[in-house]
Amino acid sequence: MAKFRLAVLECDVPFPGVDTLRGSYGDMFGALLTKGMKGLPRPDSEVEVVVTKWDVVMAHVYPVFEDFDGLMLSGSKHTAFDNEPWILALIDYLSDFFKNSQKPVIGICFGHQIIARTLGGRVAVNPGGWENSVTEIQLSEAGRRFFGLPTISMHQTHRDAVMTLPPGVDSIGGSVACGVHGMYKPGRILSFQGHPEFDEETMTIILKGRHRDGYFSESMYMDGMSRVNWAHAGDMLATKMCSFFLDASRALGQK
């Protein structure tokens, strides 16, 4: 069986309760892409996703480029425009990656934002405020070409956003509150502001916990809960992510 070596840079641990239910971000991404592979035609549907997990916050460890086929960056409660030492080290690693490797990368939430910052984009607190739960994204021309759809819906929980795109990448589209919901550069970069790895169960835990802890007002909580069980594109996105990774690897002669 063919294998796809996925290196996950874990930029945080999942929200309490989500980690107990689903494990680390590396575990969640591994499960997501394993399911996504099965949505592809054979022989790609038989590719095994082999995950290595790298704690870049506390352990400050990173994979060697030659040891993986694709890279993923997780979400985080931390702010991508901060200058904490581990964030600056992550930017240094990504700068080296973009300079000295041609392998594909996918960024999720914080991961999306830190890729944008590394490449010269601007990340800031979103003027549109928080987005939570299932949100509809109006796809751009590039997004429509990639997904073959005019809109997609996915789970969100973010207050920061990419304000200015870096050179050479396209926005996949935006929502009412957030203009850049992802980035795309064929064969190289795919990112989402939202969380394709989240579902009703995990999002409910986050909404309840942040409401209980005082981060979300009653109205924010009720708004998120009103949409938490809406249909979302997580399974389709997983398959598109797998296709992106495999196509990029084939173009590089890795598979």
Side-chain angles (χ1 to χ4, degrees), residues 93-227:
Y93 177 82
L94 289 175
S95 296
D96 187 29
F97 171 76
F98 285 116
K99 181 179 179 181
N100 294 305
S101 173
Q102 295 300 313
K103 292 180 178 179
V105 59
I106 293 177
I108 304 298
C109 197
F110 173 93
H112 153 73
Q113 296 167 9
I114 206 70
I115 291 171
R117 178 181 175 183
T118 299
L119 295 176
R122 185 173 70 88
V123 182
V125 175
N126 183 25
W130 279 94
E131 282 190 306
N132 287 302
S133 207
V134 178
T135 302
E136 184 177 80
I137 302 160
Q138 298 290 327
L139 295 177
S140 65
E141 182 179 349
R144 290 192 298 271
R145 284 198 305 269
F146 182 75
F147 292 106
L149 297 166
T151 66
I152 56 173
S153 293
M154 59 193 306
H155 278 286
Q156 311 284 330
T157 181
H158 72 101
R159 184 175 56 178
D160 299 338
V162 174
M163 298 288 103
T164 305
L165 286 169
V169 301
D170 291 315
S171 168
I172 67 165
S175 66
V176 172
C178 176
V180 179
H181 257 282
M183 301 184 298
Y184 179 60
K185 183 175 183 178
R188 187 63 161 141
I189 298 167
L190 179 63
S191 70
F192 302 110
Q193 180 56 72
H195 289 270
E197 77 277 20
F198 285 176
D199 56 19
E200 179 181 354
E201 190 171 19
T202 52
M203 195 69 239
T204 297
I205 292 170
I206 293 167
L207 289 168
K208 288 183 175 180
R210 287 182 170 163
H211 178 243
R212 179 194 64 231
D213 296 341
Y215 290 102
F216 291 168
S217 66
E218 182 70 14
S219 62
M220 288 172 60
Y221 169 69
M222 294 303 295
D223 176 61
M225 287 299 295
S226 73
R227 289 176 284 108

Side-chain angles (χ1 to χ4, degrees), residues 2 36-38 40-48 242-243 246-247 250:
M37 286 292 183
K38 298 187 185 305
L40 294 172
R42 295 181 64 187
D44 289 349
S45 61
E46 300 175 345
V47 172
E48 178 185 0
C242 290
S243 178
L246 294 181
D247 288 348
R250 279 190 281 263

